[in-house]
Amino acid sequence: MIGYSPAETARLSGFSLDTLRYYEKIGLLSGVGRTSGGRRVFTEDDLGWLGLFRCLRDTGMPIAQMCRYAELAREGEHTARERQELLQRHAERVEEQMALLRRQYDRLRDKIRYYESVTEGVRAG
Amino acid sequence: MIGYSPAETARLSGFSLDTLRYYEKIGLLSGVGRTSGGRRVFTEDDLGWLGLFRCLRDTGMPIAQMCRYAELAREGEHTARERQELLQRHAERVEEQMALLRRQYDRLRDKIRYYESVTEGVRAG
DNA sequence: TTCCATCCTGGAGCGCGCTCCAGGTCAAGC
DNA sequence: GCTTGACCTGGAGCGCGCTCCAGGATGGAA
């Protein structure tokens, strides 16, 4: 189990160095290893967490909720159900978000189609 | 062509009173009518704009870009092509956003499915 | 041994999109 | 005429999620 430097971790996770430090500061990421000199060493496991955070963030979960999830995970196996429910509720919100996005995308396409008809009219005229 | 009070407009558009005032202040909404006493009177046309802004905002367009669009529209018909291109580029970004959202939603569902298998194990045990 | 890129900490600052507030005006109903 | 609630303005403040900075330590290569 080799470790990853902060720079490598930033590259692999897509989060900036500052964001990695920030996530640790607020307790989202915890137990990050250090060298004797005090530099962070990220593990494969940390990368797994970061992957999850990216997923949750990309789907619009607020950081406070990610913290809650991480905290539950740290408490142990007996919180599995609560974590599942948290993700389930989030998934439902994501579904609504996707439906809204699609509706509004369709409106947008309509608007663009209108412009296409206008500019073709200009070409034809 | 009757007008709408600020409160009515807020209700119909889904934007708060403060947001309506803010949109006018930054020049997103312009030429909003007034009563002799200085109170805003919104028209059907204003509501149309607000509907568009909701669409663009829900699909993640930054306000600065909406301002640009509104400004172009005010300049007249000769900016139609530029407006179309602006919307077209936005639509492409929305498509990417939808694709990302779907990918991450699928990951999320996987995670939940994992939890379902775990908690069913608990039930069975 | 020296260099210099990488990293450290604590804390301030930022960009966005509102949201709230104070202090005052307006107008419809009694 | 008076009350009351909706509305006005200018400007400050906020919540989120980072992002940047100063000033200093680290550590691998030449």
Side-chain angles (χ1 to χ4, degrees), chain A residues 55 58-59 69 81 83-84 87-88 90 95 98 101 104-105 108-109 111-112 115-116 119, chain B residues 55 58-59 69 81 83-84 87-88 90 95 98 101 104-105 108-109 111-112 115-116 119:
Chain A
C55 169
D58 283 351
T59 51
Y69 180 89
R81 177 164 295 278
R83 275 177 277 156
Q84 179 191 337
L87 294 186
Q88 183 62 48
H90 178 58
E95 282 159 26
M98 288 193 303
L101 196 53
Q104 300 293 39
Y105 174 74
L108 181 57
R109 277 262 88 101
K111 190 88 184 173
I112 291 171
Y115 272 114
E116 279 166 0
T119 53
Chain B
C55 168
D58 283 350
T59 51
Y69 180 90
R81 175 165 295 280
R83 276 177 277 156
Q84 179 190 337
L87 294 186
Q88 183 61 49
H90 178 59
E95 282 159 25
M98 288 193 302
L101 195 53
Q104 300 293 39
Y105 174 74
L108 181 57
R109 276 261 88 101
K111 190 89 183 172
I112 290 170
Y115 272 114
E116 279 165 0
T119 53

Side-chain angles (χ1 to χ4, degrees), chain B residues 15-71:
Chain B
F15 290 110
S16 74
L17 272 172
D18 269 319
T19 298
L20 293 177
R21 288 196 271 255
Y22 169 70
Y23 281 180
E24 193 181 348
K25 178 151 57 180
I26 63 174
L28 185 52
L29 218 49
S30 76
V32 175
R34 300 296 175 119
T35 67
S36 57
R39 301 190 166 193
R40 288 176 182 80
V41 180
F42 295 89
T43 64
E44 210 69 62
D45 195 58
D46 292 325
L47 279 174
W49 275 101
L50 289 169
L52 177 61
F53 295 154
R54 174 149 298 285
C55 168
L56 297 177
R57 196 188 75 162
D58 283 350
T59 51
M61 182 183 280
I63 280 187
Q65 224 165 108
M66 290 196 241
C67 285
R68 175 72 184 137
Y69 180 90
E71 190 187 342

Side-chain angles (χ1 to χ4, degrees), chain A residues 49-85:
Chain A
W49 275 101
L50 290 170
L52 177 60
F53 296 153
R54 174 149 297 285
C55 169
L56 296 177
R57 197 187 75 161
D58 283 351
T59 51
M61 182 182 282
I63 280 187
Q65 223 165 109
M66 290 195 240
C67 285
R68 175 74 184 135
Y69 180 89
E71 190 188 342
L72 285 171
R74 263 175 254 136
E75 282 176 25
E77 270 312 307
H78 68 283
T79 65
R81 177 164 295 278
E82 195 170 344
R83 275 177 277 156
Q84 179 191 337
E85 285 166 2

